[in-house]
Amino acid sequence: MAGGGVAAAASAISIPWRSLLQRALDGNAHLKHSTFFQLVRPDPDPDAPATVGGGGRPANRTVVFRGFQEHSDKIQINTDARSSKIGEIRNCPFGEICWYFTDTWEQFRIGGLIEVIDGSSPDPVKLQLRESAWFGSSVKSRLQYLGPCPGLPIPDDDLVKDAHLDPSAGPVDAFCLLVLDPEKVDYLNLKSNQRLMFTRNQKGDESNNWMAEKISPNVNVVLAF
């Protein structure tokens, strides 16, 4: 790895909220659902509430954390290029992750821009990222992209059962990589009653400088066990 790559990797890991998130991931690693989070997107209509999707209806999906993009704090998500959310994201690329860790009582709300990387991308570097994400998924997960279009009726169950995939084959057209570039992170720890707001300031050289501010927790958040 070149010296610049090592420095970039070290910089990403040293970002304060990234260290908190990694600690939460490690502390909840024994829970399968610890890599699941909610992805919320706004309506492309500027007059619509910011927490709803197309047609004024909620646009909230559970997705799986597929790791950070190498040498950065960008979050990767695999999805189906045929799903309705792809068009919604292209029209309005803002989104927010809400990620709660049940064992450590920590919540991360991570907002930023979402980039769509599908097979039509002209950038070979991005296509390589997509391919790496494809091979980083299990064969069972990859098989889902051979089924009918998401959200449409299934004409024949046999079409799903009879799907076959060569494990050595590259990404199919339906496979899409989403990359969320964080701009703001709202961290809440319910055990310590601590809340921190991290805001990114991008410099002219495209490097990131994160500012942290301690803020009052939401008094309406109450957990009873």
Side-chain angles (χ1 to χ4, degrees):
M1 182 183 293
V6 173
S11 175
I13 295 173
S14 65
I15 294 171
W17 68 263
R18 171 80 178 268
S19 301
L20 289 170
L21 180 55
Q22 189 59 58
R23 186 184 67 184
L25 283 165
D26 293 342
N28 293 266
H30 60 289
L31 301 171
K32 290 184 178 181
H33 64 258
S34 65
T35 57
F36 300 169
F37 53 72
Q38 307 299 309
L39 177 63
V40 181
R41 300 180 321 284
D43 193 318
D45 179 356
D47 296 324
T51 55
V52 299
R57 296 179 182 274
N60 182 15
R61 289 178 172 86
T62 300
V63 293
V64 181
F65 173 58
R66 299 294 183 177
F68 291 99
Q69 192 176 102
E70 192 174 10
H71 310 324
S72 80
D73 56 358
K74 296 180 180 180
I75 294 172
Q76 298 190 148
I77 303 162
N78 296 346
T79 193
D80 196 310
R82 301 167 296 175
S83 70
S84 61
K85 65 175 170 286
I86 298 302
E88 294 169 4
I89 292 172
R90 291 190 190 278
N91 289 332
C92 188
F94 300 100
E96 181 177 279
I97 287 169
C98 186
W99 200 345
Y100 184 70
F101 294 91
T102 55
D103 257 20
T104 54
W105 295 15
E106 293 171 281
Q107 175 182 272
F108 293 81
R109 291 174 55 200
I110 306 171
L113 290 173
I114 303 174
E115 181 179 14
V116 176
I117 304 176
D118 59 18
S120 66
S121 174
D123 188 333
V125 174
K126 292 179 181 178
L127 289 177
Q128 181 59 51
L129 287 172
R130 175 174 174 262
E131 183 174 285
S132 297
W134 170 260
F135 286 113
S137 302
S138 67
V139 173
K140 183 178 180 181
S141 177
R142 287 181 243 168
L143 277 170
Q144 298 177 27
Y145 300 98
L146 299 181
C149 291
L152 297 181
I154 300 176
D156 187 348
D157 287 339
D158 290 336
L159 292 176
V160 179
K161 296 176 183 177
D162 295 340
H164 295 285
L165 176 71
D166 179 357
S168 63
V172 297
D173 291 343
F175 179 74
C176 183
L177 177 65
L178 302 181
V179 180
L180 186 141
D181 187 8
E183 297 177 338
K184 182 179 289 187
V185 179
D186 186 339
Y187 168 73
L188 176 65
N189 187 314
L190 292 172
K191 286 189 175 181
S192 64
N193 200 34
Q194 179 187 41
R195 187 178 178 189
L196 299 171
M197 182 69 73
F198 299 92
T199 306
R200 186 184 75 182
N201 295 316
Q202 194 165 37
K203 302 177 183 178
D205 59 0
E206 296 189 356
S207 62
N208 295 324
N209 180 34
W210 285 89
M211 305 297 292
E213 182 180 17
K214 190 172 184 179
I215 60 177
S216 176
N218 185 349
V219 296
N220 294 321
V221 177
V222 178
L223 289 181
F225 294 91

